[in-house]
Amino acid sequence: LLIFTDLDGTLLNSDDYGYDGAIRAIADLQQQQIPIIPVSSKTRAEVEVLSTEIGLTDSFIVENGSAIFIPPHQDYLFSEEMKIAGKYYFRQRGCVYAQVRDGLRDLSAAIGEDLTGFGDLNIADIMQLTGLSEPEAQRAKNREFTEPFITPHHVDPERLAHQVKALGFNVVVGDRFSHLIGDQAGKGGAVQWLVNRYQQVNRGESITTIGLGNSPNDLAMLEVVDIPIIIPGIKGVHPGLTNQGWKVAPFPGSVGWGVAVAEEVKGLSY
Ligand code: 2M8
């Protein structure tokens, strides 16, 4: 069993980024040696610090599936297509930050609307928009592969997506922002790649996967796992995730995460 989880609004509460409600379930999963793999819009810098804080030690997927990082103790997952970054092995699937920054400028020109990305914002702006602390905002701005930008609400999302595709990128919608990502990125493909690695090292033995998410950028991940679970927001399931017929956790944020995972995995309390 592998657990793939989004962070903001899923394992972490939307309002305070806390994870209290999931602590028991996480401890129980760890006791059963079930990997918990973050799959986030967040940067490597952010996920590294959060994983350490929460006590997660497995591989992780950053910036909407742009890269998969494998820690040294999981070197059995290494494959020839991977490179080394610091102490990690990593597999890049997206483009690099300079490309999405150029992409955002071209997109602004194409739709005739000035789009504001993290690269245009200072730390104080990011803190104000997200509620992150100063060091957290610094790590959020430390981007390697994707550009979050303020969703232009008066631009038709289909028109925006069409222009993005024409420029050779993809756009996904997260908790608070839209994200310009490489056309090979996306959470679904990254999860599938890592599941394949696990399957290869387990000699084809079948592996059950659970995925948890709350926003449209999680759709691709939820589609490729065996057991998709939606974490609702305070106002209910995100409109972009309704009508899927998937399990919906009974509560928002970390509490919903803990309860829903305990319902699926035998021997778990919450
Ligand atoms: C951005 O990501 C979230 C996740 O869905 C969003 O779109 O609301 C990213 O910039 C991430 O790096 C950052 O930590 C987060 C803060 O709210 O916002």
Side-chain angles (χ1 to χ4, degrees):
L1 180 65
L2 298 174
I3 310 238
F4 290 96
T5 183
D6 170 49
L7 295 177
D8 289 2
T10 299
L11 176 61
L12 307 180
N13 305 329
S14 259
D15 48 358
D16 63 0
Y17 302 99
Y19 52 90
D20 282 13
I23 288 176
R24 286 262 313 261
I26 292 172
D28 290 347
L29 289 168
Q30 286 172 332
Q31 222 184 356
Q32 295 191 35
Q33 297 188 338
I34 297 169
I36 304 168
I37 301 156
V39 185
S40 179
S41 298
K42 290 185 182 290
T43 62
R44 172 184 12 164
E46 292 181 281
V47 180
E48 269 186 306
V49 171
L50 278 162
S51 293
T52 309
E53 238 175 76
I54 305 173
L56 305 180
T57 56
D58 296 291
S59 306
F60 53 85
I61 296 170
V62 305
E63 299 198 42
N64 278 299
S66 296
I68 302 126
F69 285 88
I70 294 184
H73 73 273
Q74 288 191 313
D75 59 1
Y76 53 87
L77 290 171
F78 174 79
S79 84
E80 296 302 322
E81 348 162 74
M82 303 196 84
K83 293 187 185 143
I84 291 175
K87 61 175 184 178
Y88 300 99
Y89 296 113
F90 90 110
R91 163 83 176 141
Q92 189 181 323
R93 303 181 62 258
C95 50
V96 295
Y97 189 57
Q99 290 174 297
V100 279
R101 280 297 294 165
D102 287 349
L104 192 71
R105 200 196 46 220
D106 295 344
L107 182 60
S108 294
I111 62 169
E113 182 86 33
D114 248 340
L115 296 169
T116 308
F118 268 34
D120 305 304
L121 299 168
N122 61 33
I123 299 296
D125 298 328
I126 295 176
M127 288 168 68
Q128 213 233 326
L129 284 169
T130 59
L132 294 174
S133 69
E134 190 174 335
E136 287 168 344
Q138 249 145 10
R139 290 192 284 271
K141 197 170 153 65
N142 188 359
R143 313 209 68 90
E144 296 176 281
F145 313 106
T146 64
E147 179 68 332
F149 61 97
I150 297 172
T151 304
H153 283 293
H154 44 282
V155 177
D156 172 36
E158 270 181 34
R159 186 173 152 240
L160 186 79
H162 179 79
Q163 297 287 0
V164 166
K165 285 246 184 268
L167 292 167
F169 297 94
N170 262 327
V171 63
V172 288
V173 175
D175 239 22
R176 293 178 167 81
F177 303 100
S178 295
H179 300 253
L180 192 63
I181 70 176
D183 69 344
Q184 299 299 306
K187 292 188 178 190
V191 166
Q192 230 156 8
W193 186 88
L194 194 53
V195 173
N196 283 342
R197 286 306 304 141
Y198 269 98
Q199 239 144 17
Q200 277 158 12
V201 301
N202 287 305
R203 295 171 193 283
E205 195 185 302
S206 94
I207 296 173
T208 304
T209 53
I210 294 181
L212 298 110
N214 73 314
S215 300
N217 63 335
D218 297 316
L219 197 61
M221 163 176 69
L222 296 171
E223 277 169 347
V224 300
V225 295
D226 300 313
I227 305 172
I229 301 174
I230 297 176
I231 304 292
I234 304 180
K235 293 188 228 140
V237 171
H238 190 291
L241 291 180
T242 50
N243 304 323
Q244 302 289 343
W246 292 335
K247 178 184 175 113
V248 177
F251 306 103
S254 63
V255 176
W257 195 100
V259 175
V261 171
E263 280 169 3
E264 293 301 327
V265 184
K266 262 203 287 195
L268 239 64
S269 47
Y270 59 86

